[in-house]
């Protein structure tokens, strides 16, 4: 699989399988589903509305709501990654085609991306400007002793607990990273530190 713009790395197989499932939808069904997805992307706090609209869409089109929710989760990876990396509609289209979506449907999604680009840009800036202070951090290294996936046995992981100050209250954020993800995270933190030192 080619390198994906929205993630910079390969994605799990189930993501491309979910996205390829969208090829079975008619143009009208895909357009309606895309509308629901973009309504959620532009108003991400409305998760209840998204779930009810997906249930309604599933019942109208004779689908099971559970698998549809999984498909939408996979689809949302692309626009969420694209927002973080400030990608163009062409990049979004290319990524969807790489993941197995037909060119027509990828083009439809890219058109919606173009139409909503101003709103999406404001949203990305708004998310970027919300800064939370890191108060404390705890970490633990571990080694996977047993797993249903043989390749994961013996792999090293890191569990992080971040205490973040949001306004006047603290919130615990938990993360589990593989060793390569940890080194990537560490590299980004060092770059942020260097940037902050340049400005101070």
């Amino acid at each position: 699989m080619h390198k994906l713009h929205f993630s910079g790395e390969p994605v799990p197989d189930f993501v491309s399988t979910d996205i390829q499932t969208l090829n079975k939808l008619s143009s009208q069904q895909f357009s309606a589903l895309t509308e629901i997805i973009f309504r959620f992307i532009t108003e991400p706090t409305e998760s209840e509305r998204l779930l009810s609209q997906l249930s309604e869409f599933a019942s109208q089109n004779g689908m099971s709501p559970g698998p549809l929710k999984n498909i939408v989760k996979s689809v949302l990876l692309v626009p969420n990654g694209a927002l973080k990396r400030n990608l163009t509609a062409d990049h979004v289209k290319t990524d969807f085609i790489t993941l197995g979506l037909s060119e027509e449907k990828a083009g439809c999604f890219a058109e919606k991306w173009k139409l909503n680009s101003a709103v999406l840009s404001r949203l990305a800036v708004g998310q970027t400007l919300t800064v939370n202070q890191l108060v404390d951090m705890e970490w633990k290294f571990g080694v996977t002793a047993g797993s249903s996936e043989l390749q994961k046995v013996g792999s090293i992981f890191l569990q992080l607990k971040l205490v973040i100050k949001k306004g006047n209250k603290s919130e615990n954020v938990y993360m589990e990273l593989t060793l390569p993800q940890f080194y990537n995270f560490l590299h980004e933190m060092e770059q942020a530190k260097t940037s902050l030192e340049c400005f101070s």
Side-chain angles (χ1 to χ4, degrees):
M1 185 178 283
H2 299 289
K3 188 176 174 187
L4 295 161
H5 298 99
F6 79 91
S7 69
E9 56 190 44
V11 292
D13 290 339
F14 71 84
V15 174
S16 53
T17 304
D18 286 345
I19 288 174
Q20 288 167 19
T21 306
L22 294 172
N23 290 324
K24 296 176 184 170
L25 297 177
S26 70
S27 297
Q28 289 174 322
Q29 290 172 323
F30 183 77
S31 181
L33 184 60
T34 305
E35 194 66 44
I36 292 168
I37 291 169
F38 269 94
R39 209 169 293 145
F40 177 69
I41 293 170
T42 54
E43 297 175 42
T45 54
E46 298 291 331
S47 54
E48 288 298 317
R49 181 178 70 191
L50 172 71
L51 294 174
S52 68
Q53 286 177 333
L54 288 178
S55 295
E56 188 179 320
F57 179 86
S59 64
Q60 287 173 351
N61 293 288
M63 302 168 128
S64 179
L68 181 63
K69 287 174 191 170
N70 291 334
I71 290 168
V72 169
K73 275 186 203 170
S74 293
V75 170
L76 284 171
L77 290 174
V78 178
N80 287 339
L83 277 175
K84 288 177 187 167
R85 293 171 181 253
N86 197 22
L87 299 180
T88 64
D90 289 336
H91 287 129
V92 171
K93 180 180 178 179
T94 304
D95 281 354
F96 272 120
I97 291 170
T98 303
L99 290 168
L101 191 63
S102 71
E103 193 152 343
E104 177 197 347
K105 289 185 167 79
C108 175
F109 199 95
E111 280 303 311
K112 284 261 193 245
W113 188 266
K114 273 184 195 167
L115 288 171
N116 289 284
S117 61
V119 176
L120 295 170
S121 296
R122 278 197 303 272
L123 189 67
V125 169
Q127 288 174 344
T128 305
L129 293 177
T130 54
V131 178
N132 302 311
Q133 183 182 2
L134 180 63
V135 179
D136 191 19
M137 184 167 116
E138 293 176 24
W139 66 88
K140 289 185 222 171
F141 279 100
V143 178
T144 306
S147 172
S148 59
E149 295 180 40
L150 190 57
Q151 296 154 338
K152 291 190 178 179
V153 174
S155 62
I156 299 169
F157 63 89
L158 174 79
Q159 291 179 330
L160 285 175
K161 175 187 171 190
L162 307 174
V163 181
I164 296 173
K165 186 175 180 185
K166 288 190 170 185
N168 44 353
K169 62 180 180 179
S170 293
E171 182 181 311
N172 293 337
V173 177
Y174 299 93
M175 292 192 296
E176 187 169 295
L177 305 170
T178 63
L179 204 55
Q181 288 173 326
F182 168 68
Y183 284 126
N184 195 10
F185 174 71
L186 186 62
H187 177 68
E188 288 180 17
M189 291 298 107
E190 287 169 349
Q191 282 182 323
K193 181 184 175 201
T194 306
S195 297
L196 289 171
E197 285 170 352
C198 288
F199 294 117
S200 59

